[in-house]
Amino acid sequence: MTAALVVDDLHARLGDLEILRGVDLEVPFGEIHALMGPNGSGKSTLCHVLTGKEEYAASGSARVADVELLGKSVDERARAGLFHAFQYPVEVPGVTLDDLLGELALLADDPEDFWRRVDEMSERLRMEPFRARAINVGLSGGEKKRSEMFQLAVLSPRAAVLDEIDSGLDIDAVREVAEIVESLRSPELGMLLITHYNRILRYLRPDRIHVMVGGRIVASGGPELAERLEAEGYESFQ
Amino acid sequence: MFDRSIVERRLELDPGWRRRRRLAAFERFSQLEPPSEREELWRYVELDFSLGDFELPEGPGRPIETDAVAAALAPVASIRVVDGFGADARAEVEGLVVGALAAHDGTTPSPERAVERAGIEPDDHFAAAHEAFTVDGAFIHAARGTRVPGPVYVDVQLTGSGIAAFPAVVLHAEPSTELPVVVHLRSPDGEYGFAAPHVVVLAEDGAVVSLTILQEWGSEVRAVGRVRFAADRDAVVRFTEVGLGGRYARVRLDGDLVGPGAEADVVGAYFGENHQVLDYRYHMRHAAPHTRSDMFLKGAVEDEASSVFTGLIRIEEEGQKTEAFQTNRNLILSKGASAQSVPNLEILANDVKCGHGSTVGPLDEEQRYYLMSRGLSAAQADRLQIRGFFEEAIARMPHHALAPIVRERLNRKFVEAQEEGRL
Ligand SMILES: Nc1ncnc2c1ncn2[C@@H]1O[C@H](COP(=O)(O)OP(=O)(O)OP(=O)(O)O)[C@@H](O)[C@H]1O
Ligand SMILES: [Mg+2]
C-alpha cells in the first residue's frame, strides 16, 4: 500500500534564501498527522511547494498516491489528488463560491454526484449563506477556514495539507473545524495538519506529530510529542 | 460637404430653438481645428480619421434588425434613430412622450428647456460639427410625477459605409419622475463610419433618471460621443456605459450636480481588443451642497487595444458637505495593450469627502494560483477572474434586465481571445 503523501528530501529556495532543507515525511492513507514548528520554520512554504507555487525552486520528490508532483502545474497537482487549505485564503472579488463550484463540476467524473456532495456538505458545514457570496471576500477568519474545509470535503482529494485551519478561531470554532477534519478521515485520504496549538489536538486524534525547525523535520513521534512541545517549547529541538 | 449650404438647408426645417444654436455652432465649427493630442482633453489618443472622410446621408438607410437587447429589456417605449434620423417612436405610458426631435410639432412638450439647461456646447471641432449638422434624434419627456415602469429603448444605428451621423438623444425628466432609458449604439462590423452621438439629460427636482449606453458600434466605426446631464435638487442620475465596439470610441461625460442633494452614480465597463481605442473623459461638477457622486469604471484591454480614462471631480465653493469618489481599474491582458488612468480632483470647498483610486495591471497571480489549486486550468481560472472583475461593475448597473447580456458580451470577448490563442 502506498502512502497518501510522501515527501522525500525536499528542498526549496526563494532566490538565495534556502527555506526547505531536505524534508522527509510520509502520511499513510487513513491517517491524520500534525506538523508543528516555530514561526518561519517553513511549514507554509512546504504547503506552497507541494501545491506548485511558481516562485519557489524545488528539488527532491513529493508524491500524492504515488504520483510525482514536482514538475507539474498547480492544477495538475490538484487533479492528482492534492488539496491545500490555505493559511491565508485568497479573496476573489466578484466570483462566488457557486461560480467556482460550477467550474469544478465541469471537471468532476460524475457532476451529479458532485452536486449532491456539495448540497450535503454545505448543509452540514452551514455554508449555504456563503455560496452566493464572493470567495473569501468579507468573510471572518473562521468563515474562511470553514469555506476551505467545505472545498476539501467536496473535492475528495487523496492528500490534504491544512495550513493553520485553527488559527484565529474561538474555542467553539476550533472544535467544529476539528470535528470536520476528523469526520473526513477515510482510507482514501491522508491529511497533514499544520498547527501551533494543542487545543485542536484535543478534538482530533493525530496518528503522528512532526516537528519542523529550520526547514527540516527534526522530530517525529506519537501524540505525546505535543505534550513535550507544550512543556519545553521548540528550543530543545534546535 | 460640411459647409454652409447644408446648414442653410437644415435651418429651413429647424424649430425656432434650434436655429440659433445651429448658426452659432457653425460659426464655431468654421473656426475650430480638429483636436490634437497636445490638448489636455485629447491627450493619449491619435485620431486616424477626419470628418472629411465621411458624407452626410440624405436619409436613413435600411434599419438593422432588432436583437436580443430589445427582447431582454421588455421596453415600455422605444424609438429608432437610423443614420441620424428618428423613426418608429412608440410609447404607451401616460405622462411619457417619446418622439423624433425633428418631428416635434408644438402639441407636446418642447425639447428646448432640456437643451437650454444641459445642451452640449460647441466647444470642440466634433461637438460644433454635431450642433451644426445634426438632423434629428430622440426626445423623451416624462411629465411631473410620472413613474415610467420600464425602460425606454433608443436604438441608435449606423447602417452604411462612409456615413457621418450626428444623432441626438434628449431626456427631460420633470420633477418627481422616474425615467429609465437604454441607448443602444450599433452598426455592422467592417463598415467605416462616423458617429457623434450627443445625449442630454435634464433631471429636475427629485427626478430619478437611469441611463445606460450599450456601445456596440461595428469594428470600423469612429465615434465621438458626448453625454451631459444637469441634476437639480435631490435628483438622481445613474449613468452607465458599456463599451464593447468601435475602432475608436470616445465618451465625454459632463455631469453637473446643480441642486442641493443631487446625486450621480456613474458606472462603466469596457473591453478593448484588436486595435480598438476606448476613450473616456469623465467630468463631475459639484455646484451645490450635500451632493454626492460615485464613478466606478472597470476595463480590460488585450491584443493591441488601448483605453484612456481621465476623470475630473470638481467641487465648487458652493459644494460643501459633498461626497465624491472615482474608481477606475484596468486589466492589461496582452503585451501590446495599454491603459491610461488619470483621476483628478479640484476642490474649492473645504468640508467635503473625496476619494479616488486607479489601477492598471495584469490579472492577479494570487487569484489564479488559488483557483488553480482547486483544480481549475489557468484558462478556467482566468475566465473566472475576468468574470469577477466585471461583475463588480455589473452589480452596480441600474438596468438589471440588461445584466445577463452585458455579462455575456463582455466575457465573450475574453473567451474568444483565449480560444484564438491571443491570451
Ligand atoms: N514569498 C516569500 N518572500 C519572502 N520570504 C519568504 C517567502 N516565503 C517564505 N519566506 C520566508 O521563509 C521562511 C519560512 O516561511 P513560512 O511561511 O514557510 O513559515 P511558517 O513555518 O509557515 O511560519 P508561521 O508559523 O509564521 O506561519 C520565513 O523566514 C519567511 O519569511
Ligand atoms: Mg505558515
Side-chain angles (χ1 to χ4, degrees):
Chain A
M1 187 62 189
T2 63
L5 177 67
V6 177
V7 178
D8 241 343
D9 194 27
L10 187 65
H11 291 256
R13 51 170 60 247
L14 187 72
D16 288 338
L17 181 68
E18 191 174 13
I19 305 175
L20 301 184
R21 304 155 180 264
V23 177
D24 294 298
L25 195 67
E26 186 168 324
V27 183
F29 281 113
E31 295 196 1
I32 299 173
H33 289 197
L35 176 63
M36 304 181 82
N39 294 129
S41 56
K43 305 179 298 296
S44 293
T45 301
L46 172 64
C47 296
H48 287 298
V49 168
L50 294 176
T51 307
K53 198 169 198 190
E54 251 175 40
E55 62 206 62
Y56 301 102
S59 61
S61 169
R63 299 184 294 281
V64 166
D66 251 1
V67 179
E68 177 62 53
L69 299 179
L70 298 198
K72 287 198 161 54
S73 65
V74 176
D75 54 321
E76 284 167 345
R77 295 175 194 218
R79 292 200 291 266
L82 177 72
F83 182 86
H84 172 185
F86 282 43
Q87 180 174 3
Y88 304 108
V90 178
E91 295 186 2
V92 191
V95 178
T96 66
L97 197 50
D98 266 341
D99 290 336
L100 171 59
L101 293 169
E103 296 290 320
L104 291 171
L106 299 176
L107 303 171
D109 295 330
D110 181 349
E112 262 180 54
D113 186 59
F114 175 81
W115 284 117
R116 258 196 306 279
R117 213 172 154 71
V118 164
D119 288 335
E120 182 200 323
M121 285 301 164
S122 67
E123 197 181 317
R124 231 178 82 197
L125 304 189
R126 292 176 288 115
M127 282 302 294
E128 247 116 48
F130 302 102
R131 284 175 56 180
R133 282 176 56 177
I135 298 166
N136 296 321
V137 177
L139 267 59
S140 75
E143 289 163 351
K144 282 183 188 165
K145 305 286 169 166
R146 222 161 71 215
S147 175
E148 293 289 280
M149 290 301 98
F150 169 62
Q151 292 170 61
L152 162 64
V154 300
L155 280 169
S156 316
R158 310 303 313 277
V161 290
L162 313 177
D163 196 357
E164 299 202 21
I165 49 167
D166 56 338
S167 290
L169 303 196
D170 65 46
I171 190 71
D172 291 338
V174 169
R175 183 183 329 138
E176 188 188 13
V177 164
E179 283 167 2
I180 295 167
V181 172
E182 194 57 62
S183 76
L184 292 172
R185 189 195 281 269
S186 100
E188 304 294 313
L189 172 66
M191 291 187 273
L192 181 67
L193 177 95
I194 292 162
T195 182
H196 285 294
Y197 306 106
N198 277 342
R199 55 181 193 175
I200 191 169
L201 303 180
R202 268 183 232 131
Y203 304 109
L204 49 75
R205 292 167 300 283
D207 299 278
R208 282 184 82 68
I209 291 179
H210 308 277
V211 180
M212 181 181 265
V213 177
R216 259 190 220 106
I217 305 292
V218 294
S220 295
E224 72 285 352
L225 195 51
E227 274 144 44
R228 191 181 142 202
L229 280 173
E230 184 102 332
E232 299 175 15
Y234 292 110
E235 254 161 54
S236 62
F237 293 94
Q238 312 225 326
Chain B
M1 187 88 229
F2 294 89
D3 56 20
R4 180 168 284 274
S5 65
I6 300 271
V7 173
E8 301 283 349
R9 267 165 56 202
R10 301 266 199 269
L11 284 168
E12 282 167 29
L13 301 169
D14 272 343
W17 62 268
R18 241 226 174 287
R19 251 174 236 149
R20 196 175 29 80
R21 288 185 68 88
R22 194 186 293 284
L23 270 174
F26 183 69
E27 286 306 310
R28 289 292 292 141
F29 178 73
S30 316
Q31 297 155 1
L32 285 163
E33 295 290 320
S36 96
E37 212 184 331
R38 287 187 300 277
E39 294 165 56
E40 184 56 35
L41 278 168
W42 292 87
R43 267 181 78 184
Y44 313 113
V45 295
E46 210 177 312
L47 302 183
D48 68 343
F49 63 93
S50 75
L51 272 187
D53 300 349
F54 306 97
E55 301 213 329
L56 293 161
E58 291 293 325
R62 235 175 84 107
I64 309 165
E65 285 182 19
T66 50
D67 77 345
V69 173
L73 279 176
V76 299
S78 59
I79 182 169
R80 251 199 313 240
V81 183
V82 178
D83 300 331
F85 297 84
D88 302 321
R90 176 182 71 80
E92 283 143 22
V93 178
E94 172 114 14
L96 173 70
V97 172
V98 176
L101 268 175
H104 182 259
D105 61 2
T107 61
T108 51
S110 163
E112 183 172 5
R113 188 170 152 68
V115 171
E116 217 164 67
R117 289 279 318 277
I120 284 144
E121 298 308 318
D123 51 13
D124 70 21
H125 175 72
F126 294 110
H130 176 107
E131 297 296 319
F133 301 109
T134 182
V135 264
D136 200 2
F139 176 50
I140 298 164
H141 180 275
R144 182 183 286 271
T146 303
R147 194 186 150 270
V148 180
V152 180
Y153 179 58
V154 184
D155 186 2
V156 178
Q157 311 181 354
L158 204 54
T159 66
S161 226
I163 287 176
F166 298 93
V169 178
V170 178
L171 312 184
H172 183 172
E174 286 196 353
S176 308
T177 50
E178 270 178 47
L179 180 58
V181 176
V182 173
V183 176
H184 194 184
L185 306 174
R186 58 202 187 109
S187 69
D189 274 336
E191 309 262 16
Y192 183 49
F194 173 85
H198 280 191
V199 180
V200 164
V201 180
L202 173 60
E204 294 193 280
D205 294 358
V208 178
V209 176
S210 320
L211 167 65
T212 293
I213 296 181
L214 180 59
Q215 188 275 93
E216 296 193 282
W217 293 125
S219 55
E220 287 304 324
V221 165
R222 275 60 173 177
V224 181
R226 295 283 292 260
V227 177
R228 183 170 170 207
F229 66 78
D232 289 345
R233 179 179 287 273
D234 298 327
V236 179
V237 175
R238 303 202 177 99
F239 171 66
T240 294
E241 198 264 2
V242 179
L244 293 164
R247 177 71 160 71
Y248 171 75
R250 174 182 172 98
V251 181
R252 173 170 156 192
L253 168 72
D254 291 283
D256 266 322
L257 300 172
V258 289
E263 298 185 17
D265 279 300
V266 174
V267 183
Y270 47 93
F271 196 124
E273 65 191 351
N274 296 326
H275 291 88
Q276 276 186 287
V277 180
L278 301 173
D279 181 9
Y280 295 98
R281 315 283 169 152
Y282 278 21
H283 300 175
M284 188 67 65
R285 202 171 72 93
H286 290 252
H290 296 285
T291 49
R292 187 191 65 81
S293 75
D294 196 356
M295 272 187 216
F296 187 88
L297 285 87
K298 288 200 146 189
V301 280
E302 61 107 356
D303 210 356
E304 307 269 302
S306 62
S307 69
V308 179
F309 169 81
T310 65
L312 175 63
I313 295 172
R314 183 182 161 88
I315 303 186
E316 309 286 358
E317 272 172 59
E318 305 80 51
Q320 298 294 5
K321 309 266 183 217
T322 65
E323 287 183 21
F325 300 94
Q326 59 182 326
T327 306
N328 175 232
R329 309 219 175 278
N330 296 278
L331 287 178
I332 309 280
L333 301 171
S334 340
K335 272 205 182 66
S338 66
Q340 300 291 337
S341 181
V342 189
N344 287 297
L345 296 172
E346 265 179 41
I347 304 176
L348 308 179
N350 52 23
D351 183 10
V352 302
K353 234 166 92 183
C354 280
H356 59 76
S358 142
T359 53
V360 176
L363 282 166
D364 187 82
E365 292 280 353
E366 289 292 317
Q367 290 183 38
R368 182 188 288 140
Y369 170 63
Y370 180 74
L371 293 169
M372 286 178 76
S373 80
R374 306 295 129 121
L376 302 192
S377 66
Q380 257 181 316
D382 289 354
R383 277 204 300 272
L384 267 193
Q385 200 183 138
I386 279 280
R387 196 186 149 101
F389 176 78
F390 284 120
E391 209 53 42
E392 291 196 309
I394 292 170
R396 292 166 176 250
M397 295 181 183
H399 298 289
H400 298 293
L402 216 49
I405 287 180
V406 168
R407 183 179 295 123
E408 199 271 325
R409 293 187 184 180
L410 281 166
N411 287 302
R412 189 173 63 200
K413 290 185 86 168
F414 182 75
V415 173
E416 277 171 7
Q418 268 189 339
E419 283 170 356
E420 286 161 21
R422 291 202 302 274
L423 297 174

mmCIF file of all heavy atoms in Angstrom, chain B residues 118 120 169 197-201 211 213 224-229 237 239-241 250-256 281-283:
data_model
loop_
_atom_site.group_PDB
_atom_site.id
_atom_site.type_symbol
_atom_site.label_atom_id
_atom_site.label_comp_id
_atom_site.label_asym_id
_atom_site.label_seq_id
_atom_site.Cartn_x
_atom_site.Cartn_y
_atom_site.Cartn_z
ATOM 1 N N ALA B 118 -29.040 71.742 -20.378
ATOM 2 C CA ALA B 118 -27.999 70.710 -20.370
ATOM 3 C C ALA B 118 -27.407 70.441 -21.749
ATOM 4 O O ALA B 118 -26.625 69.509 -21.925
ATOM 5 C CB ALA B 118 -28.572 69.411 -19.794
ATOM 6 N N ILE B 120 -25.216 70.414 -25.151
ATOM 7 C CA ILE B 120 -23.760 70.383 -25.301
ATOM 8 C C ILE B 120 -23.310 71.585 -26.118
ATOM 9 O O ILE B 120 -23.840 71.874 -27.187
ATOM 10 C CB ILE B 120 -23.342 69.037 -25.928
ATOM 11 C CG1 ILE B 120 -23.445 67.969 -24.830
ATOM 12 C CG2 ILE B 120 -21.918 69.099 -26.472
ATOM 13 C CD1 ILE B 120 -23.896 66.656 -25.271
ATOM 14 N N VAL B 169 -29.916 62.549 -28.441
ATOM 15 C CA VAL B 169 -30.941 61.975 -27.570
ATOM 16 C C VAL B 169 -31.127 62.970 -26.427
ATOM 17 O O VAL B 169 -30.164 63.291 -25.719
ATOM 18 C CB VAL B 169 -30.516 60.595 -27.019
ATOM 19 C CG1 VAL B 169 -31.581 60.054 -26.069
ATOM 20 C CG2 VAL B 169 -30.264 59.610 -28.158
ATOM 21 N N PRO B 197 -22.729 60.840 -31.318
ATOM 22 C CA PRO B 197 -23.982 60.896 -30.568
ATOM 23 C C PRO B 197 -23.870 61.869 -29.390
ATOM 24 O O PRO B 197 -22.860 61.882 -28.687
ATOM 25 C CB PRO B 197 -24.176 59.461 -30.068
ATOM 26 C CG PRO B 197 -22.827 58.822 -30.131
ATOM 27 C CD PRO B 197 -22.007 59.571 -31.129
ATOM 28 N N HIS B 198 -24.899 62.680 -29.239
ATOM 29 C CA HIS B 198 -24.969 63.579 -28.089
ATOM 30 C C HIS B 198 -26.179 63.206 -27.242
ATOM 31 O O HIS B 198 -27.288 63.132 -27.754
ATOM 32 C CB HIS B 198 -25.128 65.036 -28.548
ATOM 33 C CG HIS B 198 -23.846 65.655 -28.987
ATOM 34 N ND1 HIS B 198 -23.702 66.998 -29.230
ATOM 35 C CD2 HIS B 198 -22.615 65.111 -29.225
ATOM 36 C CE1 HIS B 198 -22.460 67.271 -29.593
ATOM 37 N NE2 HIS B 198 -21.770 66.142 -29.603
ATOM 38 N N VAL B 199 -25.928 62.950 -25.989
ATOM 39 C CA VAL B 199 -27.030 62.599 -25.089
ATOM 40 C C VAL B 199 -27.121 63.664 -24.001
ATOM 41 O O VAL B 199 -26.130 63.963 -23.327
ATOM 42 C CB VAL B 199 -26.815 61.206 -24.459
ATOM 43 C CG1 VAL B 199 -27.982 60.865 -23.534
ATOM 44 C CG2 VAL B 199 -26.661 60.142 -25.541
ATOM 45 N N VAL B 200 -28.298 64.240 -23.871
ATOM 46 C CA VAL B 200 -28.512 65.373 -22.973
ATOM 47 C C VAL B 200 -29.590 64.995 -21.974
ATOM 48 O O VAL B 200 -30.627 64.476 -22.356
ATOM 49 C CB VAL B 200 -28.965 66.590 -23.819
ATOM 50 C CG1 VAL B 200 -29.566 67.667 -22.948
ATOM 51 C CG2 VAL B 200 -27.802 67.114 -24.639
ATOM 52 N N VAL B 201 -29.311 65.224 -20.691
ATOM 53 C CA VAL B 201 -30.275 64.827 -19.667
ATOM 54 C C VAL B 201 -30.561 66.003 -18.733
ATOM 55 O O VAL B 201 -29.634 66.567 -18.147
ATOM 56 C CB VAL B 201 -29.727 63.663 -18.801
ATOM 57 C CG1 VAL B 201 -30.743 63.258 -17.738
ATOM 58 C CG2 VAL B 201 -29.329 62.481 -19.674
ATOM 59 N N LEU B 211 -29.770 55.980 -17.018
ATOM 60 C CA LEU B 211 -29.425 55.995 -18.440
ATOM 61 C C LEU B 211 -28.276 55.030 -18.675
ATOM 62 O O LEU B 211 -27.203 55.169 -18.091
ATOM 63 C CB LEU B 211 -29.007 57.415 -18.844
ATOM 64 C CG LEU B 211 -28.327 57.561 -20.202
ATOM 65 C CD1 LEU B 211 -29.283 57.205 -21.329
ATOM 66 C CD2 LEU B 211 -27.791 58.976 -20.375
ATOM 67 N N ILE B 213 -25.883 53.380 -21.691
ATOM 68 C CA ILE B 213 -25.497 53.330 -23.098
ATOM 69 C C ILE B 213 -24.780 51.999 -23.317
ATOM 70 O O ILE B 213 -23.770 51.705 -22.667
ATOM 71 C CB ILE B 213 -24.563 54.503 -23.476
ATOM 72 C CG1 ILE B 213 -25.309 55.830 -23.331
ATOM 73 C CG2 ILE B 213 -24.039 54.323 -24.903
ATOM 74 C CD1 ILE B 213 -24.481 57.049 -23.699
ATOM 75 N N VAL B 224 -17.380 59.749 -31.594
ATOM 76 C CA VAL B 224 -17.008 60.790 -30.645
ATOM 77 C C VAL B 224 -18.284 61.204 -29.923
ATOM 78 O O VAL B 224 -19.062 61.999 -30.424
ATOM 79 C CB VAL B 224 -16.373 61.992 -31.376
ATOM 80 C CG1 VAL B 224 -15.972 63.066 -30.369
ATOM 81 C CG2 VAL B 224 -15.155 61.540 -32.184
ATOM 82 N N GLY B 225 -18.504 60.593 -28.777
ATOM 83 C CA GLY B 225 -19.781 60.790 -28.087
ATOM 84 C C GLY B 225 -19.677 61.785 -26.951
ATOM 85 O O GLY B 225 -18.610 61.977 -26.351
ATOM 86 N N ARG B 226 -20.793 62.445 -26.692
ATOM 87 C CA ARG B 226 -20.865 63.362 -25.559
ATOM 88 C C ARG B 226 -22.110 63.037 -24.752
ATOM 89 O O ARG B 226 -23.158 62.711 -25.314
ATOM 90 C CB ARG B 226 -20.968 64.814 -26.059
ATOM 91 C CG ARG B 226 -19.750 65.319 -26.799
ATOM 92 C CD ARG B 226 -18.635 65.673 -25.848
ATOM 93 N NE ARG B 226 -18.931 66.835 -25.026
ATOM 94 C CZ ARG B 226 -18.479 68.055 -25.269
ATOM 95 N NH1 ARG B 226 -17.704 68.292 -26.305
ATOM 96 N NH2 ARG B 226 -18.790 69.062 -24.464
ATOM 97 N N VAL B 227 -21.962 63.134 -23.445
ATOM 98 C CA VAL B 227 -23.111 62.976 -22.560
ATOM 99 C C VAL B 227 -23.050 64.123 -21.566
ATOM 100 O O VAL B 227 -21.984 64.403 -21.003
ATOM 101 C CB VAL B 227 -23.058 61.637 -21.787
ATOM 102 C CG1 VAL B 227 -24.232 61.537 -20.814
ATOM 103 C CG2 VAL B 227 -23.042 60.450 -22.743
ATOM 104 N N ARG B 228 -24.175 64.785 -21.396
ATOM 105 C CA ARG B 228 -24.181 65.844 -20.386
ATOM 106 C C ARG B 228 -25.473 65.756 -19.604
ATOM 107 O O ARG B 228 -26.528 65.518 -20.181
ATOM 108 C CB ARG B 228 -24.071 67.212 -21.051
ATOM 109 C CG ARG B 228 -23.992 68.320 -20.029
ATOM 110 C CD ARG B 228 -23.648 69.650 -20.649
ATOM 111 N NE ARG B 228 -23.829 70.683 -19.632
ATOM 112 C CZ ARG B 228 -24.118 71.931 -19.890
ATOM 113 N NH1 ARG B 228 -24.245 72.351 -21.130
ATOM 114 N NH2 ARG B 228 -24.280 72.794 -18.899
ATOM 115 N N PHE B 229 -25.351 65.882 -18.302
ATOM 116 C CA PHE B 229 -26.582 65.941 -17.538
ATOM 117 C C PHE B 229 -26.546 67.064 -16.506
ATOM 118 O O PHE B 229 -25.475 67.462 -16.037
ATOM 119 C CB PHE B 229 -26.925 64.600 -16.871
ATOM 120 C CG PHE B 229 -25.970 64.137 -15.800
ATOM 121 C CD1 PHE B 229 -26.023 64.685 -14.520
ATOM 122 C CD2 PHE B 229 -25.058 63.123 -16.058
ATOM 123 C CE1 PHE B 229 -25.160 64.239 -13.524
ATOM 124 C CE2 PHE B 229 -24.197 62.672 -15.070
ATOM 125 C CZ PHE B 229 -24.244 63.233 -13.798
ATOM 126 N N VAL B 237 -29.077 60.831 -10.916
ATOM 127 C CA VAL B 237 -28.787 60.361 -12.267
ATOM 128 C C VAL B 237 -27.871 59.152 -12.155
ATOM 129 O O VAL B 237 -26.806 59.215 -11.537
ATOM 130 C CB VAL B 237 -28.117 61.454 -13.129
ATOM 131 C CG1 VAL B 237 -27.722 60.892 -14.486
ATOM 132 C CG2 VAL B 237 -29.059 62.642 -13.294
ATOM 133 N N PHE B 239 -25.809 56.864 -14.477
ATOM 134 C CA PHE B 239 -25.339 56.746 -15.849
ATOM 135 C C PHE B 239 -24.366 55.579 -15.982
ATOM 136 O O PHE B 239 -23.385 55.469 -15.245
ATOM 137 C CB PHE B 239 -24.664 58.045 -16.305
ATOM 138 C CG PHE B 239 -23.968 57.895 -17.631
ATOM 139 C CD1 PHE B 239 -24.701 57.656 -18.777
ATOM 140 C CD2 PHE B 239 -22.581 57.946 -17.724
ATOM 141 C CE1 PHE B 239 -24.075 57.483 -20.004
ATOM 142 C CE2 PHE B 239 -21.933 57.776 -18.940
ATOM 143 C CZ PHE B 239 -22.685 57.548 -20.092
ATOM 144 N N THR B 240 -24.651 54.717 -16.940
ATOM 145 C CA THR B 240 -23.778 53.571 -17.190
ATOM 146 C C THR B 240 -23.395 53.538 -18.660
ATOM 147 O O THR B 240 -24.240 53.784 -19.519
ATOM 148 C CB THR B 240 -24.528 52.259 -16.868
ATOM 149 O OG1 THR B 240 -24.786 52.203 -15.474
ATOM 150 C CG2 THR B 240 -23.701 51.038 -17.268
ATOM 151 N N GLU B 241 -22.142 53.249 -18.933
ATOM 152 C CA GLU B 241 -21.760 52.986 -20.312
ATOM 153 C C GLU B 241 -21.030 51.660 -20.354
ATOM 154 O O GLU B 241 -20.144 51.397 -19.538
ATOM 155 C CB GLU B 241 -20.862 54.093 -20.861
ATOM 156 C CG GLU B 241 -20.782 54.117 -22.381
ATOM 157 C CD GLU B 241 -19.575 53.398 -22.997
ATOM 158 O OE1 GLU B 241 -18.755 52.813 -22.237
ATOM 159 O OE2 GLU B 241 -19.430 53.414 -24.227
ATOM 160 N N ARG B 250 -15.217 57.208 -28.173
ATOM 161 C CA ARG B 250 -14.966 58.155 -27.089
ATOM 162 C C ARG B 250 -16.276 58.534 -26.426
ATOM 163 O O ARG B 250 -17.298 58.663 -27.094
ATOM 164 C CB ARG B 250 -14.303 59.406 -27.683
ATOM 165 C CG ARG B 250 -14.093 60.556 -26.708
ATOM 166 C CD ARG B 250 -13.479 61.727 -27.483
ATOM 167 N NE ARG B 250 -13.395 62.951 -26.727
ATOM 168 C CZ ARG B 250 -12.290 63.379 -26.100
ATOM 169 N NH1 ARG B 250 -11.195 62.651 -26.123
ATOM 170 N NH2 ARG B 250 -12.283 64.530 -25.469
ATOM 171 N N VAL B 251 -16.217 58.673 -25.120
ATOM 172 C CA VAL B 251 -17.342 59.257 -24.399
ATOM 173 C C VAL B 251 -16.790 60.367 -23.519
ATOM 174 O O VAL B 251 -15.907 60.128 -22.696
ATOM 175 C CB VAL B 251 -18.064 58.247 -23.480
ATOM 176 C CG1 VAL B 251 -19.244 58.929 -22.793
ATOM 177 C CG2 VAL B 251 -18.531 57.027 -24.257
ATOM 178 N N ARG B 252 -17.297 61.550 -23.734
ATOM 179 C CA ARG B 252 -17.001 62.600 -22.773
ATOM 180 C C ARG B 252 -18.274 62.862 -21.995
ATOM 181 O O ARG B 252 -19.311 63.149 -22.582
ATOM 182 C CB ARG B 252 -16.526 63.869 -23.467
ATOM 183 C CG ARG B 252 -16.387 64.998 -22.460
ATOM 184 C CD ARG B 252 -15.706 66.201 -23.011
ATOM 185 N NE ARG B 252 -16.102 67.371 -22.231
ATOM 186 C CZ ARG B 252 -15.859 68.605 -22.592
ATOM 187 N NH1 ARG B 252 -15.226 68.853 -23.722
ATOM 188 N NH2 ARG B 252 -16.254 69.609 -21.834
ATOM 189 N N LEU B 253 -18.140 62.710 -20.693
ATOM 190 C CA LEU B 253 -19.276 62.952 -19.805
ATOM 191 C C LEU B 253 -19.066 64.253 -19.057
ATOM 192 O O LEU B 253 -17.979 64.490 -18.517
ATOM 193 C CB LEU B 253 -19.395 61.801 -18.794
ATOM 194 C CG LEU B 253 -20.353 62.045 -17.617
ATOM 195 C CD1 LEU B 253 -21.795 62.001 -18.086
ATOM 196 C CD2 LEU B 253 -20.131 61.016 -16.517
ATOM 197 N N ASP B 254 -20.089 65.096 -19.041
ATOM 198 C CA ASP B 254 -20.084 66.271 -18.180
ATOM 199 C C ASP B 254 -21.293 66.172 -17.270
ATOM 200 O O ASP B 254 -22.420 66.380 -17.713
ATOM 201 C CB ASP B 254 -20.163 67.556 -19.017
ATOM 202 C CG ASP B 254 -18.883 67.771 -19.813
ATOM 203 O OD1 ASP B 254 -17.885 68.207 -19.216
ATOM 204 O OD2 ASP B 254 -18.885 67.472 -21.031
ATOM 205 N N GLY B 255 -21.025 65.816 -16.038
ATOM 206 C CA GLY B 255 -22.119 65.718 -15.069
ATOM 207 C C GLY B 255 -22.155 66.979 -14.228
ATOM 208 O O GLY B 255 -21.124 67.409 -13.704
ATOM 209 N N ASP B 256 -23.329 67.556 -14.127
ATOM 210 C CA ASP B 256 -23.488 68.782 -13.346
ATOM 211 C C ASP B 256 -24.471 68.546 -12.224
ATOM 212 O O ASP B 256 -25.660 68.350 -12.478
ATOM 213 C CB ASP B 256 -24.071 69.890 -14.246
ATOM 214 C CG ASP B 256 -22.973 70.739 -14.842
ATOM 215 O OD1 ASP B 256 -21.972 71.003 -14.135
ATOM 216 O OD2 ASP B 256 -23.123 71.124 -16.016
ATOM 217 N N ARG B 281 -13.571 60.407 -20.983
ATOM 218 C CA ARG B 281 -13.211 61.660 -20.299
ATOM 219 C C ARG B 281 -14.414 62.041 -19.445
ATOM 220 O O ARG B 281 -15.413 62.528 -19.971
ATOM 221 C CB ARG B 281 -12.934 62.756 -21.324
ATOM 222 C CG ARG B 281 -12.070 62.324 -22.501
ATOM 223 C CD ARG B 281 -10.601 62.225 -22.116
ATOM 224 N NE ARG B 281 -9.835 61.554 -23.176
ATOM 225 C CZ ARG B 281 -8.551 61.777 -23.402
ATOM 226 N NH1 ARG B 281 -7.884 62.634 -22.666
ATOM 227 N NH2 ARG B 281 -7.928 61.107 -24.349
ATOM 228 N N TYR B 282 -14.301 61.751 -18.167
ATOM 229 C CA TYR B 282 -15.472 61.908 -17.297
ATOM 230 C C TYR B 282 -15.281 63.047 -16.309
ATOM 231 O O TYR B 282 -14.339 63.034 -15.504
ATOM 232 C CB TYR B 282 -15.733 60.588 -16.538
ATOM 233 C CG TYR B 282 -16.492 59.558 -17.355
ATOM 234 C CD1 TYR B 282 -16.529 59.605 -18.746
ATOM 235 C CD2 TYR B 282 -17.185 58.524 -16.725
ATOM 236 C CE1 TYR B 282 -17.229 58.659 -19.484
ATOM 237 C CE2 TYR B 282 -17.889 57.566 -17.454
ATOM 238 C CZ TYR B 282 -17.911 57.641 -18.840
ATOM 239 O OH TYR B 282 -18.609 56.705 -19.555
ATOM 240 N N HIS B 283 -16.184 63.996 -16.396
ATOM 241 C CA HIS B 283 -16.103 65.169 -15.525
ATOM 242 C C HIS B 283 -17.353 65.253 -14.666
ATOM 243 O O HIS B 283 -18.456 65.119 -15.174
ATOM 244 C CB HIS B 283 -16.014 66.459 -16.361
ATOM 245 C CG HIS B 283 -14.817 66.490 -17.256
ATOM 246 N ND1 HIS B 283 -14.587 67.492 -18.158
ATOM 247 C CD2 HIS B 283 -13.786 65.627 -17.392
ATOM 248 C CE1 HIS B 283 -13.460 67.242 -18.811
ATOM 249 N NE2 HIS B 283 -12.955 66.118 -18.366
#
